[in-house]
Amino acid sequence: MAEKSNVLQNTAPYSGEIKNLILSNGFYILCIAVIIIFTCLNSAFFTLTNLYNILISASFMIATTAGVAVVIIAGNMDLSVGSTALLSAGVMYSVSTLGLPDIVALIAGLLAGIIIGLINGLLVSKLKFNAMVLTLGLQLGYRGIGLILIGGTQVSLPESFKNFGKIRIFGGLNLVVVICLIIMALLYIIMRRTRFGTYCYAIGCNETAAKRVGIPIDAVKTATFVISGFCAAVAGFVVVSRLGLAHSYIGKGMEFSAIEAAVIGGISLRGGKGNLLPGALFGVLLIYIINNGLSIIGASEYVYPFAQGIIVFAAMYLDALKNFKNK
Amino acid sequence: MLTMSSISKKFQGVRALDNVTMAAKEGRVLGLVGINGAGKSTLMNILGGVFKQDNGKIILNNKELTFNSPIDAYNEGIAFIHQEPQFFLTLTVAENIFISDLYMSKFPIVTDKKKMMQEASKYLAVLSADIKPQQLLEDIAIGQRQVIEIVRALTSGANVIIFDEPTSSLSLNEKDNLFRTIRKLKKEEKIIIYISHFLDEIIDICDDYLVLRDGKMVQSGLIKDTDKSDLSRMIIGQEIDRLERASINTDNKETILKVENVYHSNLLHGVDLELKKSEVLGIWGLMGSGRTELVRAILGLDRVPGGKCYMNENGQMKEIKKAELLRSVGYVTEGRHFDGLFLSMPVWKNVTSANMNAYKSKKLKFMDNKKERSKTEKFIELLNIKVPDANVRLANLSGGNQQKVIFAKWIDKGADIFILDEPTRGVDVGAKLGIHKIIRNLASQGIGVLLITSEIDEMVDLADRVLILCNGEIVSELSGNDINNANLMHFALEGVKE
């Protein structure tokens, strides 16, 4: 037997721990490379102020991606998060016009997100809708309701929303950014440390096996959509609080950015694999680092999608290489 | 005391179980034996809640049980060690073991990973398995994964434990450990049901036996009142409806396919084989001996580090890439629903699917549906496929007819090498005979057939030459009259012995 295994090792030409290391951390190496390149091009890039800028612009996507990542890990897909963000912003606006305390408007907005998640989740788990098709269809309706509630291209919310967005802690970091990061961290802990999280990974990995061992599949799936809806509502609030305005463009394309960020952060679209931290977080950050860097070096706005595309492709290629080798 | 009385079950008209009664007692191991398709797995799937019986009762400790799902059976303390276990590849070993009963820490909703790791390694140590609880399951070799399911059953505190071919993927050492565990479980007054092909194992570990054949009970009794040859007689039984054996001498025939030195991680250790014109070459070996892996490696479906393929081109053996080979053979796979058929398409589209170039028009490359249909009609008659017409969707056909459609597909392609992996799995007796005739016919037309089957009769009836595959190596070759039930049984029983 010993002889045999020697033969085997000789016939397999794969060696080199370094290659392995590079492949398995390829995404982070890519992130660092991008940061170094932008820093070399313009020293203003690598400063604390600019880091805060990146975080502020990325904040709502951090919350959204966290929620979408949970759904993806459990083996589903949520394409309605952008519309949910718009709808919850709409609810916040219309409740605030009723003369109730502003906190009620906020809670109503978040509740709207949860209800949408519940609808999506129940339809997917109980009526066995295909999650992608269902949320792609329903998001039109959600967006429609949001647009009706806003009733114009742009409406103002009470001052307190804008003031909340201005609260800064830790020497200049916005409170909303911290909230988004906390949501991401909390969901990471839930996914990796609780029974619910383990069930999510198990269902995403192998639903047949999950059924066999008696995991409450329907309840877990529904819960993931509720989480995603809530996170999208938070994202809606973050956008609104930054400007003090609700406008009809909130959430446009957000769902695809979130999936993109999750995937380049190493979360498998097949489910059951990947981490919220650091994976998904850096996935979001990479996209905003590229945008921010390009604007700092004064690149034309039309270059942004192209540069983004290249980087996203590179990240996915590295991931594919890794998987290919593992096979 | 567990009793399953007068159990019957039909699948799509095929009678899988016919009035079978089984009794298993505490502190004893019941050996359930029979050839593939005898109904062992069906019976156990009913006990495990996977299938529901058409007739009959399950009684455990004087209580009648009805199962609507595997969870019901699990909750009654019935654990099933599956032949093909299902796992969560991206979770850790410990999580896989405790998934249905995760340890919770004092802090609400948070799981206690440390305790799970500890408990898991305790049980793994009992089986002396070289697995660490924090490893991801996808990093565990397939052969070792079954151990994890055994541990899962042990930790759930089940009272009835069903082992379905548990040793087929275990090494000798792991097997000894498993038997030690089973003896321990016996002392704890568990009811154990043990399914196996290996009669040595049955005699070694079991106290009682029940022999099934074609879904019927043949005999049951105490192991100490019987012996191996008795058992194998009961298992094989009287032959019914068999093809006249017509083995030919193939020494002088032209070689059409030559394979050298095939390696596959730890499953295959340098396999050579030569396939000749108009012969049926059988590969005989137990489940886990590397049969399917060998074929997949030859065809380039799994990436393997070593192995060369040569094909006959106008009398000369030319080396070819393995992927090229796949393009020029007819490959009847093990699981026709999984990778053999387009179930939602009509028969005629399935038949012509491997050879579509032959049916397109010259200039605009449109498909000539009329031609496809008429060709299919010919195949339906030729292969005696029982369908109302060629437009029936394949999902509505019986297993035997589906299998014939696969043959039609490859014959239409004009392949001169056929690779058959379990060609009659899940096919009723009549259709089986039909398929055997097709295979014989193919060989007589000069086609080389590579046959893998776990059914001893099929091998004896069809093969002109048999290679014995054991632990990833060809250990022997049989031809002519040496291919008989006794010899093949002998190799099967000696199978895992080193």
Side-chain angles (χ1 to χ4, degrees):
Chain A
M1 266 326 265
E3 226 178 325
K4 287 275 149 55
S5 57
N6 273 340
V7 173
L8 265 182
Q9 269 161 17
N10 290 342
T11 45
Y14 304 118
S15 61
E17 289 289 306
I18 299 169
K19 198 175 161 190
N20 244 333
L21 201 73
I22 292 175
L23 273 182
S24 50
N25 294 304
F27 170 62
Y28 302 105
I29 295 171
L30 188 73
C31 283
I32 293 167
V34 169
I35 291 171
I36 290 174
I37 291 171
F38 280 131
T39 314
C40 291
L41 290 173
N42 191 330
S43 57
F45 176 77
F46 201 71
T47 56
L48 194 61
T49 333
N50 194 42
L51 177 71
Y52 283 173
N53 279 338
I54 293 172
L55 280 173
I56 290 165
S57 53
S59 55
F60 74 97
M61 276 311 296
I62 293 174
T64 317
T65 306
V68 171
V70 170
V71 175
I72 294 177
I73 286 171
N76 273 311
M77 182 59 73
D78 188 351
L79 293 177
S80 69
V81 286
S83 301
T84 308
L86 178 79
L87 190 146
S88 79
V91 169
M92 284 177 211
Y93 164 71
S94 42
V95 174
S96 72
T97 56
L98 298 177
L100 293 163
D102 294 338
I103 185 79
V104 177
L106 171 61
I107 290 170
L110 297 180
L111 216 57
I114 290 174
I115 290 168
I116 287 175
L118 200 63
I119 293 169
N120 288 342
L122 288 175
L123 288 175
V124 167
S125 60
K126 295 290 179 200
L127 297 184
K128 312 289 173 212
F129 273 94
N130 176 301
M132 193 182 322
V133 177
L134 176 89
T135 52
L136 186 64
L138 286 187
Q139 60 103 14
L140 278 173
Y142 301 149
R143 178 161 289 275
I145 298 169
L147 290 174
I148 292 167
L149 289 175
I150 290 173
T153 47
Q154 188 167 308
V155 288
S156 310
L157 274 95
E159 276 298 298
S160 53
F161 276 86
K162 202 171 179 181
N163 291 339
F164 187 86
K166 281 182 184 160
I167 300 174
R168 284 165 189 261
I169 50 171
F170 303 138
L173 195 54
N174 288 47
L175 181 61
V176 285
V177 174
V178 177
I179 289 173
C180 292
L181 289 173
I182 287 175
I183 286 177
M184 180 71 101
L186 214 62
L187 282 178
Y188 167 72
I189 292 168
I190 287 174
M191 291 306 280
R192 277 302 181 192
R193 290 278 149 182
T194 68
R195 174 158 56 190
F196 168 76
T198 313
Y199 283 173
C200 286
Y201 277 97
I203 292 171
C205 179
N206 187 340
E207 200 173 321
T208 323
K211 208 174 270 170
R212 205 186 260 180
V213 297
I215 292 174
I217 294 176
D218 291 356
V220 174
K221 273 190 188 168
T222 309
T224 60
F225 279 98
V226 170
I227 289 172
S228 163
F230 173 77
C231 289
V234 171
F237 168 68
V238 170
V239 174
V240 163
S241 71
R242 218 159 68 203
L243 304 167
L245 301 168
H247 55 79
S248 53
Y249 288 103
I250 291 177
K252 269 264 162 81
M254 206 159 103
E255 51 281 322
F256 291 107
S257 299
I259 294 166
E260 181 186 319
V263 169
I264 62 177
I267 289 171
S268 164
L269 281 182
R270 288 191 191 157
K273 206 170 184 181
N275 276 319
L276 267 66
L277 286 179
L281 177 63
F282 275 84
V284 180
L285 289 182
L286 182 61
I287 295 173
Y288 282 88
I289 284 171
I290 296 165
N291 284 351
N292 175 281
L294 288 173
S295 80
I296 278 193
I297 63 171
S300 153
E301 212 177 299
Y302 301 109
V303 179
Y304 289 21
F306 176 70
Q308 246 187 49
I310 294 280
I311 301 287
V312 168
F313 173 75
M316 290 187 173
Y317 181 66
L318 282 170
D319 191 52
L321 268 187
K322 190 171 73 187
N323 289 335
F324 185 66
K325 226 207 98 204
N326 284 345
K327 251 192 166 178
Chain B
M1 176 88 176
L2 169 74
T3 323
M4 294 179 80
S5 58
S6 311
I7 304 283
S8 295
K9 175 80 187 170
K10 260 186 180 177
F11 287 114
Q12 292 159 359
V14 181
R15 197 172 271 285
L17 283 177
D18 189 5
N19 203 18
V20 172
T21 298
M22 182 197 86
K25 300 180 190 76
E26 279 86 3
R28 291 177 79 82
V29 182
L30 172 71
L32 194 55
V33 285
I35 56 167
N36 276 11
K40 297 169 297 183
S41 290
T42 312
L43 186 66
M44 288 303 108
N45 275 324
I46 288 170
L47 183 57
V50 180
F51 300 143
K52 211 170 162 141
Q53 70 270 32
D54 299 338
N55 278 315
K57 285 176 186 168
I58 304 171
I59 297 159
L60 179 62
N61 299 329
N62 300 322
K63 194 175 129 199
E64 189 179 335
L65 304 175
T66 13
F67 302 138
N68 292 315
S69 72
I71 301 142
D72 291 350
Y74 178 88
N75 290 337
E76 292 292 344
I78 295 170
F80 198 153
I81 313 296
H82 294 266
Q83 196 174 345
E84 286 157 29
Q86 294 257 344
F87 290 113
F88 306 105
L89 292 184
T90 57
L91 301 187
T92 63
V93 170
E95 282 169 334
N96 265 283
I97 290 170
F98 293 107
I99 186 74
S100 45
D101 202 4
L102 293 165
Y103 280 100
M104 304 307 284
S105 70
K106 280 176 197 145
F107 192 76
I109 77 162
V110 175
T111 52
D112 191 344
K113 287 204 173 182
K114 216 186 236 166
K115 179 138 188 244
M116 278 198 275
M117 297 288 172
Q118 280 169 2
E119 288 290 307
S121 48
K122 210 160 73 190
Y123 281 100
L124 287 168
V126 172
L127 284 173
S128 308
D130 187 21
I131 297 172
K132 292 187 189 69
Q134 65 271 25
Q135 275 179 294
L136 286 184
L137 208 88
E138 55 188 357
D139 298 332
I140 307 281
I142 293 169
Q144 289 186 302
R145 287 182 187 165
Q146 201 153 24
V147 177
I148 291 159
E149 195 167 38
I150 296 172
V151 175
R152 192 192 278 167
L154 296 183
T155 55
S156 74
N159 282 319
V160 180
I161 302 177
I162 306 161
F163 289 92
D164 189 3
E165 306 274 359
T167 56
S168 57
S169 53
L170 298 189
S171 73
L172 215 58
N173 197 11
E174 288 166 330
K175 196 174 102 179
D176 284 345
N177 284 318
L178 173 69
F179 280 14
R180 220 169 294 138
T181 317
I182 292 180
R183 294 208 173 89
K184 249 182 233 167
L185 294 172
K186 253 171 79 171
K187 281 206 193 94
E188 290 172 28
E189 294 290 297
K190 307 256 187 218
I191 298 171
I192 296 159
I193 299 168
Y194 192 91
I195 307 175
S196 182
H197 281 303
F198 307 112
L199 297 184
D200 281 333
E201 285 179 10
I202 297 283
I203 301 229
D204 190 3
I205 195 77
C206 298
D207 304 298
D208 309 300
Y209 70 87
L210 169 65
V211 180
L212 293 181
R213 192 171 66 223
D214 296 328
K216 295 187 186 75
M217 271 171 71
V218 178
Q219 202 169 341
S220 61
L222 300 174
I223 285 285
K224 64 174 200 279
D225 298 340
T226 184
D227 61 17
K228 219 161 81 180
S229 57
D230 256 354
L231 278 177
S232 60
R233 215 168 299 131
M234 287 185 248
I235 292 168
I236 298 166
Q238 293 303 309
E239 282 116 69
I240 38 149
D241 264 0
R242 291 178 66 164
L243 206 64
E244 193 70 20
R245 193 177 142 66
S247 178
I248 48 163
N249 188 345
T250 56
D251 289 350
N252 310 323
K253 292 264 163 59
E254 215 178 349
T255 305
I256 47 172
L257 174 73
K258 198 163 128 192
V259 179
E260 278 180 357
N261 218 12
V262 181
Y263 278 88
H264 186 301
S265 51
N266 49 7
L267 291 167
L268 298 171
H269 311 295
V271 175
D272 302 332
L273 66 86
E274 244 179 70
L275 179 65
K276 288 174 178 152
K277 226 175 164 166
S278 60
E279 78 164 345
V280 179
L281 175 62
I283 296 180
W284 178 251
L286 292 159
M287 218 169 290
S289 61
R291 300 172 311 191
T292 300
E293 289 78 5
L294 173 64
V295 171
R296 290 184 62 86
I298 292 174
L299 293 174
L301 291 169
D302 294 329
R303 294 208 309 157
V304 292
K308 280 183 180 157
C309 267
Y310 302 89
M311 235 174 116
N312 192 331
E313 271 174 40
N314 309 323
Q316 295 237 309
M317 296 307 287
K318 253 188 159 172
E319 184 173 353
I320 54 162
K321 281 190 191 147
K322 289 179 199 136
E324 258 173 74
L325 183 62
L326 183 61
R327 247 174 279 147
S328 45
V329 300
Y331 178 29
V332 178
T333 58
E334 207 174 358
R336 60 177 164 269
H337 294 123
F338 173 62
D339 55 5
L341 294 166
F342 307 103
L343 284 174
S344 58
M345 289 193 187
V347 173
W348 61 274
K349 276 196 176 165
N350 270 282
V351 168
T352 58
S353 60
N355 192 24
M356 295 216 267
N357 278 344
Y359 299 98
K360 66 187 184 195
S361 68
K362 275 204 183 96
K363 288 221 171 97
L364 288 168
K365 313 288 181 202
F366 281 156
M367 296 299 291
D368 185 349
N369 292 349
K370 224 186 208 168
K371 199 171 154 196
E372 287 181 84
R373 278 211 182 82
S374 68
K375 192 71 186 266
T376 305
E377 300 289 352
K378 264 182 211 152
F379 274 115
I380 288 175
E381 208 183 295
L382 187 71
L383 303 183
N384 195 16
I385 303 172
K386 291 189 187 73
V387 282
D389 61 73
N391 289 322
V392 180
R393 291 195 326 149
L394 220 67
N396 300 334
L397 264 59
S398 75
N401 287 317
Q402 287 180 347
Q403 203 70 359
K404 284 178 181 173
V405 170
I406 297 180
F407 274 94
K409 177 175 75 178
W410 295 125
I411 296 171
D412 186 41
K413 183 186 171 189
D416 52 7
I417 297 170
F418 269 64
I419 296 180
L420 314 176
D421 196 351
E422 304 285 0
T424 58
R425 174 175 285 184
V427 163
D428 64 84
V429 184
K432 195 180 273 185
L433 193 68
I435 289 171
H436 286 179
K437 276 183 190 149
I438 295 171
I439 296 171
R440 273 257 149 258
N441 254 330
L442 287 173
S444 68
Q445 286 161 23
I447 286 169
V449 179
L450 196 62
L451 173 71
I452 296 175
T453 176
S454 24
E455 288 185 38
I456 211 161
D457 292 344
E458 190 162 282
M459 193 54 99
V460 172
D461 292 348
L462 292 174
D464 301 312
R465 210 150 55 90
V466 177
L467 300 175
I468 314 286
L469 189 67
C470 179
N471 289 328
E473 282 172 84
I474 304 264
V475 291
S476 183
E477 183 181 327
L478 300 176
S479 59
N481 287 331
D482 286 343
I483 305 173
N484 54 42
N485 288 26
N487 265 342
L488 292 178
M489 201 64 169
H490 168 77
F491 277 109
L493 297 172
E494 296 297 309
V496 286
K497 298 268 157 70
E498 304 246 328

